[in-house]
Amino acid sequence: MFRASSVLLLAGVWVGSTVAEWPQGVPLGEFILQEREIALQGVLDNIGPSGTKVPGAAAGIVIASPSKENPDYFYTWTRDASLTFKTIVDEFVDGNADLQPYIDDFVRAQAILQTVSNPSGTLLPSGTGLGEPKYKADGTRFNGNWGRPQRDGPALRATALIGYANWLIQHGETERVKTVIWPVIANDLSYVGQYWNSTGFDLWEEVMGSSFFTTQAQYRSLVEGGALAGTLGVPCTACSEAPQVLCLLQTYWNGKYFTANINDNSGRGGVDANTILGPIAAFDLQAACDSPSLQPCHSRVLANFKVFVDTFRNSSLYPINAGISSTDGIAVGRYPEDFYLNGNPWYLITLGAAEFLYDAVAQWTTQGSITITPTSLPFYLDLYPNATANGTYKRCNEISPFHTIVTAATAYADSFVSVAQRYTPSTGSLAEQFLKSPPGTPLSAAALTWSFASFVSMSARRTGRFPPSWLPSFSLTVPPTCTASSATGTYSPATAAGAPEVTVPCTTTVRFEVNATTYYGENVYVVGNITDLGDWDPENAQTMRSDRYTEEWPLWHAEVPLDVGPDGAIVAYKYIRQQDCGQAWVWEERNRTVVVPGCGGEGVIGEEGVWVGKGGVSGGC
Ligand code: NOJ
Ligand code: NOJ
């Protein structure tokens, strides 16, 4: 139940009482003003060390959500953290000086995280560890099964840090940028230049392939990274890959929309919010609409936007969109085939759709004209039924088509925010998703940092606040043929920013094998007394594979690189069973040991064993 109006804003303090949803009577502008404060605070509450919702998070670590179960998002993802800090840096650059200590903590936290060895690899010698998607709240590695590597993280982090670096340079702190921040950025750019053409998991952590969002984020990082390197007078070998990345970016276009994932075998149609979130992360107010960087006002990007949104108008997909006119904003989600929690609309995507339209409006307005092509015509017809292709509308007076389109697009953007408002609880807290069927109850991770950050950036665009430009002023050319190239990166710990000294790890690969008869749904892991084996924490155990499992030989095996230092070590371990239906782990009843030689030693084979102790029992869920 909700009351009509029990909310008021007193001297900047949000006074609300608990009502089930935002009183529908609150006008949009007022809602945005109030929610913006809640959202910014919501972001800060999820950042260590003093975020009130995330005790235990290390300094500068952005927790995805305070939720510890169903789902457990009490980790830091490089993507979420970097997109969030891009927004924080933009707010800071725009005058919110209180945010600087958070940014400094972030720089330091990221310098440290870069050096943490993890299941994707290590910083040295070849940067592979930078592709790790997530870490624990205290900044240590997460060993669990995950879609890795994810190659958007380093690019997005570079972009957030470059924004800060550019501000520092404008404020006379070039030396600090050069010695403290650039080394962090340089590792990330090296990673992008080296691996942009290698497949990885998409931003939704599900599809292995090449992903539009990732490629676009990578392109941006190399362009602005190259410019920053120039200013600092330092080399950026990776940055010369930018034209090739731009070439790849064009290839996602299928004639109707941008296919979210290519070089994949997801079997999906390719309509995906991936291709909406990319252009808003790459937004540059000064860019030309035909820039191959694929800005929100680009004709293909607009056509793609319409295909994406219209996909979710289907009320058998999202019943809450039933009855909404085809020119109004609706609830939108990741992609139509989504089955994560049955597939629902997401706040950050619905707000992202609004931000996308505010961006396009700002670009038309900056340019003072709108050019419609046959490709973008369907998008414009929804805003202005008399639109015609191959025409340019110039900004003249208030009854011009230009003005009609700008007004309609702004109202269209607002209508997406109104949808988000409708499903925002009166506390203003934003979860990850809201139910696709009435009453559209919030669901999945509560107080999701990325949802809050998306509200903050959307509201900035709506009020005409835009981040600094990143594209060069000359027009870009796409190479006539795309080449699969790669620049070998150089990596080193950013010690001036707080990273520990690390050296090239010396690992010895140990093969663990155990015969353990399991039921369908039960999995076996190996856990032990060293970091690489999870320090006896089952959540950080190493997964084992059952690809050679047969009835007579129920083999579970794992080949795990262990870093035990130069002298070798005797490592203690156990096999453990993960039960279905959320039941407790089943541990073996005795410890095992393996003698692991130091680096340079021969690879060893862990004893092949038979499970010792009780088996598991299906919970029958
Ligand atoms: C968690 C991932 O983060 C999410 O993107 C995915 O959809 C679900 N797991 C299901 O695979
Ligand atoms: C699942 C989303 O699919 C992914 O993009 C995100 O990084 C994580 N949740 C954490 O928010």
Side-chain angles (χ1 to χ4, degrees), residues 64 73 77 79-80 203-205 334 340 346 432 448 450:
Y73 275 30
W77 272 259
R79 167 183 39 265
D80 299 44
L203 79 170
W204 309 132
E205 320 192 280
R334 300 196 299 182
Y340 179 36
W346 285 40
E432 181 185 70
L448 187 81
W450 189 1

Side-chain angles (χ1 to χ4, degrees), residues 150 195 239 256 478 580:
Q150 295 178 19
Y195 300 108
C239 299
K256 293 195 168 72
V478 181
D580 65 4

Side-chain angles (χ1 to χ4, degrees), residues 45-125:
D45 286 348
N46 288 350
I47 301 176
S50 40
T52 54
K53 297 266 187 57
V54 292
I61 292 287
V62 182
I63 300 300
S65 148
S67 170
K68 288 194 174 169
E69 53 188 296
N70 294 326
D72 183 359
Y73 275 30
F74 205 80
Y75 291 91
T76 185
W77 272 259
T78 304
R79 167 183 39 265
D80 299 44
S82 302
L83 287 166
T84 297
F85 262 92
K86 169 67 168 66
T87 294
I88 292 183
V89 167
D90 289 344
E91 292 289 311
F92 166 70
V93 167
D94 214 44
N96 187 343
D98 296 347
L99 297 173
Q100 193 164 18
Y102 293 92
I103 302 171
D104 290 333
D105 277 356
F106 175 72
V107 173
R108 189 180 156 82
Q110 300 310 309
I112 297 169
L113 279 187
Q114 285 186 334
T115 64
V116 174
S117 340
N118 59 61
S120 297
T122 48
L123 177 65
L124 303 179

Side-chain angles (χ1 to χ4, degrees), residues 282-617:
F283 168 66
D284 183 333
L285 180 63
Q286 303 302 330
C289 291
D290 61 2
S291 164
S293 62
L294 301 180
Q295 296 294 315
C297 69
H298 189 284
S299 57
R300 288 182 176 176
V301 177
L302 291 170
N304 179 69
F305 181 84
K306 177 169 166 60
V307 170
F308 170 74
V309 174
D310 284 354
T311 299
F312 292 96
R313 293 193 185 281
N314 174 354
S315 63
S316 47
L317 190 59
Y318 282 2
I320 56 171
N321 288 336
I324 298 181
S325 125
S326 67
T327 53
D328 276 343
I330 53 169
V332 283
R334 300 196 299 182
Y335 51 91
E337 303 90 339
D338 196 357
F339 59 84
Y340 179 36
L341 300 173
N342 286 326
N344 294 288
W346 285 40
Y347 291 100
L348 74 93
I349 297 169
T350 304
L351 295 167
E355 179 168 331
F356 177 98
L357 292 164
Y358 294 131
D359 286 350
V361 167
Q363 289 175 323
W364 299 326
T365 308
T366 302
Q367 286 153 28
S369 72
I370 294 172
T371 299
I372 302 181
T373 66
T375 305
S376 58
L377 182 63
F379 169 85
Y380 286 102
L381 283 173
D382 285 344
L383 304 173
Y384 177 53
N386 294 333
T388 51
N390 303 319
T392 293
Y393 298 114
K394 294 220 176 295
R395 175 170 52 196
C396 13
N397 53 44
E398 299 225 329
I399 51 157
S400 63
F402 177 92
H403 187 79
T404 307
I405 292 171
V406 162
T407 306
T410 305
Y412 189 29
D414 283 355
S415 67
F416 281 96
V417 187
S418 295
V419 171
Q421 174 181 9
R422 195 171 312 141
Y423 301 108
T424 298
S426 65
T427 56
S429 193
L430 297 176
E432 181 185 70
Q433 314 180 18
F434 48 103
L435 200 64
K436 63 183 159 190
S437 307
T441 317
L443 91 159
S444 189
L448 187 81
T449 312
W450 189 1
S451 295
F452 287 136
S454 74
F455 199 97
V456 174
S457 58
M458 175 284 294
S459 67
R461 303 301 168 271
R462 185 175 189 268
T463 51
R465 295 191 291 117
F466 304 107
S469 282
W470 62 275
L471 282 163
S473 49
F474 53 85
S475 50
L476 304 164
T477 41
V478 181
T481 49
C482 297
T483 316
S485 56
S486 163
T488 305
T490 49
Y491 304 90
S492 62
T495 50
E501 281 291 359
V502 286
T503 46
V504 178
C506 62
T507 58
T508 307
T509 298
V510 175
R511 185 198 328 250
F512 293 95
E513 297 188 332
V514 65
N515 288 324
T517 302
T518 46
Y519 60 83
Y520 185 80
E522 184 182 29
N523 290 300
V524 180
Y525 290 69
V526 55
V527 67
N529 68 348
I530 57 170
T531 313
D532 291 334
L533 290 179
D535 285 326
W536 295 122
D537 175 3
E539 300 303 329
N540 261 347
Q542 293 281 355
T543 43
M544 301 187 78
R545 291 189 294 149
S546 58
D547 53 336
R548 286 165 23 217
Y549 185 104
T550 60
E551 212 163 304
E552 308 106 273
W553 192 20
L555 180 69
W556 286 83
H557 68 105
E559 289 70 39
V560 189
L562 299 182
D563 183 354
V564 292
D567 302 330
I570 300 174
V571 170
Y573 66 99
K574 263 183 180 160
Y575 297 108
I576 50 175
R577 294 167 184 254
Q578 183 185 47
Q579 302 300 290
D580 65 4
C581 313
Q583 303 178 78
W585 293 84
V586 177
W587 293 67
E588 270 196 303
E589 284 165 8
R590 71 163 171 87
N591 276 7
R592 299 167 178 271
T593 52
V594 57
V595 178
V596 183
C599 55
E602 293 285 299
V604 295
I605 307 233
E607 63 189 295
E608 183 195 310
V610 176
W611 174 270
V612 178
K614 289 193 224 46
V617 182

Side-chain angles (χ1 to χ4, degrees), residues 220-236:
R220 173 174 181 161
S221 70
L222 294 181
V223 170
E224 58 189 351
L228 175 59
T231 307
L232 297 175
V234 295
C236 179

Side-chain angles (χ1 to χ4, degrees), residues 7-10 12-16 22 34-35 37-38 426-428:
V7 286
L8 55 146
L9 193 68
L10 283 179
V13 181
W14 170 237
V15 183
W22 268 87
Q34 297 172 357
E35 179 64 23
E37 297 303 312
I38 294 172
S426 65
T427 56

